[in-house]
Amino acid sequence: MAQFTRPTILMCPPDFYGIHYEINPWMSRSRQSDDALARTQWHDLNRLLASLGTDIRLMPPFDGLPDLVFTANAGLVWRSVVFLPGFRHPARQGETPLDDAWFRAQAFETRACPERWNFEGAGDALFCGETLFGGYMIRSDAGALQWLGREIGCRVIPLQLVDDRYYHLDTCFCPLSPTQAIYYPEAFDDYGRRALVESVPTLIPVVGAEAARFACNAVVLENDVVLNTGCPELAVALEHLGYRAHATDLGEFIKAGGSAKCLTLRLDGEDAARWP
Ligand code: ARG
């Protein structure tokens, strides 16, 4: 079983990153990313996370799989088990065998998503306390979330995602601690909003303009929150709660529909998770 002595994050260098297909409304092949700038932004994020005390592990990049940089989708980590993704879009399906091999080489046990369902890893499954919140409809299926609940033996709250721009749960919901989270209310239906309000004691809403800057796609490291630039209102709300907000420009990755959180995967468990 993999052992960690400090917060440990998986990232994948952007060597083969680019906008090569369009599978979400942010992506347009006519709006290419700038290679050099993407590398700089990725390295700045990497250095910022390292300066906050994290150990960063790297997945080798792979030519032809530009979205492999978004390691949040490499799986859902629970203790020494990784639930592997079954991607909705064929363009990303080639990532799963690489994820599987990497985790196994690191002494994780991997479990495949049953074939009849799609599931996109930590992008659509986030623990807040002992509860697993799951996003479904756009990329992951509700059946896959129920499968996770059975495997883990935890309560699952499935949340339907209703806005194509917020196609993964981690683009519109971010647990900060077992009792606190950030969310973008408009990305959910009434039922989902109610479920969130009833089950998370402190919920910080973000405004539309900051949701579109991927305010909810933040990396939480105890009292430090790392996110894209252009989210001043959220930064103030976080500071009121005792968090320090660190903004770093990730504009080249927004072009693919991802930001700080998507570019990372906590291997030792998120701070907000109280794993059953
Ligand atoms: N282009 C990628 C996709 O559409 C972005 C993935 C972002 N990852 C995330 N966890 N939200 O699949």
Side-chain angles (χ1 to χ4, degrees):
M1 130 137 210
Q3 298 287 356
F4 302 102
T5 52
R6 55 194 173 115
T8 305
I9 287 178
L10 175 63
M11 293 183 73
C12 172
D15 300 18
F16 303 108
Y17 172 68
I19 316 300
H20 300 170
Y21 45 78
E22 298 168 4
I23 57 173
N24 68 53
W26 305 92
M27 303 175 87
S28 164
R29 269 167 292 192
S30 60
R31 238 166 46 93
Q32 241 346 291
S33 57
D34 177 309
D35 273 351
L37 188 53
R39 272 174 221 267
T40 303
Q41 292 179 350
W42 186 91
H43 281 287
D44 288 347
L45 174 66
N46 181 302
R47 266 191 295 271
L48 175 56
L49 295 172
S51 76
L52 296 171
T54 59
D55 177 5
I56 309 230
R57 307 282 170 92
L58 296 179
M59 161 112 54
F62 192 89
D63 196 0
L65 295 174
D67 280 339
L68 198 63
V69 293
F70 297 113
T71 51
N73 302 118
L76 170 67
V77 180
W78 171 64
R79 301 183 183 277
S80 57
V81 176
V82 177
F83 297 96
L84 293 170
F87 287 96
R88 182 81 87 200
H89 296 287
R92 293 199 67 181
Q93 287 167 359
E95 297 179 30
T96 307
L98 301 181
D99 298 331
D100 188 17
W102 191 87
F103 285 114
R104 291 215 255 162
Q106 307 295 313
F108 280 94
E109 177 200 336
T110 57
R111 296 190 198 165
C113 175
E115 265 180 34
R116 57 190 174 285
W117 292 312
N118 293 120
F119 167 61
E120 301 206 348
D124 267 333
L126 298 165
F127 280 100
C128 189
E130 289 190 358
T131 303
L132 184 64
F133 290 84
Y136 72 93
M137 202 66 176
I138 303 179
R139 294 296 184 84
S140 298
D141 295 312
L145 302 175
Q146 301 307 341
W147 163 70
L148 292 170
R150 282 193 301 276
E151 293 276 315
I152 296 171
C154 66
R155 176 166 82 139
V156 173
I157 298 191
L159 301 162
Q160 187 177 331
L161 303 180
V162 301
D163 182 335
D164 279 340
R165 289 173 307 160
Y166 303 101
Y167 58 93
H168 276 142
L169 184 62
D170 69 0
T171 64
C172 50
F173 176 66
C174 175
L176 293 165
S177 78
T179 58
Q180 301 170 313
I182 306 166
Y183 81 134
Y184 176 50
E186 279 72 24
F188 302 94
D189 60 10
D190 279 342
Y191 185 86
R193 275 193 290 272
R194 225 174 318 131
L196 283 170
V197 169
E198 279 168 17
S199 40
V200 184
T202 305
L203 268 181
I204 309 180
V206 304
V207 295
E210 296 192 7
R213 298 288 302 171
F214 281 66
C216 299
N217 200 249
V219 179
V220 181
L221 294 161
E222 242 177 288
N223 295 321
D224 294 293
V225 180
V226 173
L227 74 177
N228 188 31
T229 54
C231 305
E233 287 190 36
L234 176 61
V236 169
L238 286 171
E239 269 145 37
H240 278 302
L241 286 176
Y243 292 91
R244 274 178 303 267
H246 306 264
T248 186
D249 187 6
L250 291 164
E252 293 311 301
F253 297 96
I254 306 279
K255 290 177 178 173
S259 186
K261 176 60 175 265
C262 304
L263 291 165
T264 64
L265 181 69
R266 261 306 268 277
L267 298 174
D268 58 316
E270 297 283 348
D271 290 350
R274 291 283 170 269
W275 279 340

